[in-house]
């Protein structure tokens, strides 16, 4: 009979000590400490564009004005393990002028950990414009960057003019978030 009261006292003591924990636990009730630690860790392990190989295409190009095309972009990590979160920055240019391609509105970007030699991808979806049309951008260059970085890599845009919604600086195009690629 004495064993039961001792067990109850021991359990109550354990619960009391757990409730008084000073933040050393791994629970989510740490008042935001994990979030700030995670964000600073993510910033220090974010993928850098000079350590990423980028392959544009092959594309499912839009054959005629008004048609939709898709340009897949594959990224290969050439450095140590790193993370990708958010959307790539994508800009299309016609010699000097250019415009940013907006993020896909329905996408919720996952956080991807890219192992050494690991791959990820994203897709640029666009509507082909009419050459010489005041609403279309006669794009010749594609610039790709990673989230939070100012540096980009440039590639030839060979998929025809981009249709604009209201003009050449409002492209009828979008870029998806990063997605896992490969096995």
């Amino acid at each position: 009979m004495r064993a039961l009261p001792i067990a109850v006292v021991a359990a109550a003591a354990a619960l009391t000590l757990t409730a008084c924990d000073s933040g050393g636990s791994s629970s989510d009730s740490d008042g935001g400490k994990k979030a700030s630690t995670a964000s600073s860790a993510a910033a220090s392990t974010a993928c850098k564009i000079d350590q990423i190989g980028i392959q544009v295409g092959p594309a499912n190009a839009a054959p005629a004005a008004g048609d939709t095309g898709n340009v897949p972009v594959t990224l290969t990590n050439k450095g140590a393990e790193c993370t990708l979160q958010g959307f790539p920055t994508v800009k299309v240019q016609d010699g000097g002028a250019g415009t940013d391609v907006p993020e896909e509105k329905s996408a919720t970007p996952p956080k991807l950990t890219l192992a050494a030699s690991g791959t990820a991808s994203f897709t640029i979806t666009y509507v082909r414009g009419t050459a010489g049309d005041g609403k279309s951008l006669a794009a010749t260059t594609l610039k790709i960057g990673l989230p939070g970085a100012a540096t980009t890599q440039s590639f030839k845009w060979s998929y025809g003019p981009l249709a604009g919604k209201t003009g050449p600086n409002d492209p009828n195009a979008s870029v998806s978030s990063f997605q896992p690629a490969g096995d």
Side-chain angles (χ1 to χ4, degrees):
M1 295 286 193
R2 270 187 108 182
L4 183 60
I6 292 173
V8 171
V9 170
L15 289 173
T16 303
L17 290 174
T18 302
C20 294
D21 188 32
S22 63
S25 88
S26 61
S27 72
D28 287 340
S29 63
D30 60 1
K33 289 181 186 176
K34 285 176 83 177
S36 64
T37 303
S39 66
S40 60
S44 66
T45 63
C47 295
K48 310 233 182 321
I49 199 153
D50 63 339
Q51 296 178 351
I52 297 289
I54 299 177
Q55 178 184 347
V56 178
N60 172 18
D67 291 341
T68 300
N70 297 297
V71 182
V73 180
T74 304
L75 298 94
T76 303
N77 184 7
K78 296 182 177 183
E81 182 176 282
C82 61
T83 58
L84 291 169
Q85 185 164 13
F87 291 86
T89 57
V90 175
K91 184 172 190 162
V92 287
Q93 291 184 305
D94 68 346
T99 189
D100 294 328
V101 175
E103 300 167 354
E104 192 176 82
K105 292 183 195 283
S106 64
T108 301
K111 180 179 180 179
L112 298 180
T113 300
L114 211 53
S117 300
T119 58
S121 67
F122 64 89
T123 302
I124 303 164
T125 302
Y126 72 99
V127 174
R128 186 175 181 138
T130 303
D133 179 3
K135 284 187 173 182
S136 297
L137 178 69
T140 56
T141 304
L142 173 66
K143 291 191 173 191
I144 298 172
L146 299 179
T151 308
T152 61
Q153 287 188 21
S154 295
F155 301 88
K156 181 178 180 177
W157 177 268
S158 57
Y159 311 111
L162 254 68
K165 295 176 189 171
T166 59
N169 293 324
D170 183 22
N172 193 350
S174 65
V175 60
S176 71
S177 62
F178 297 107
Q179 300 297 317
D183 311 357

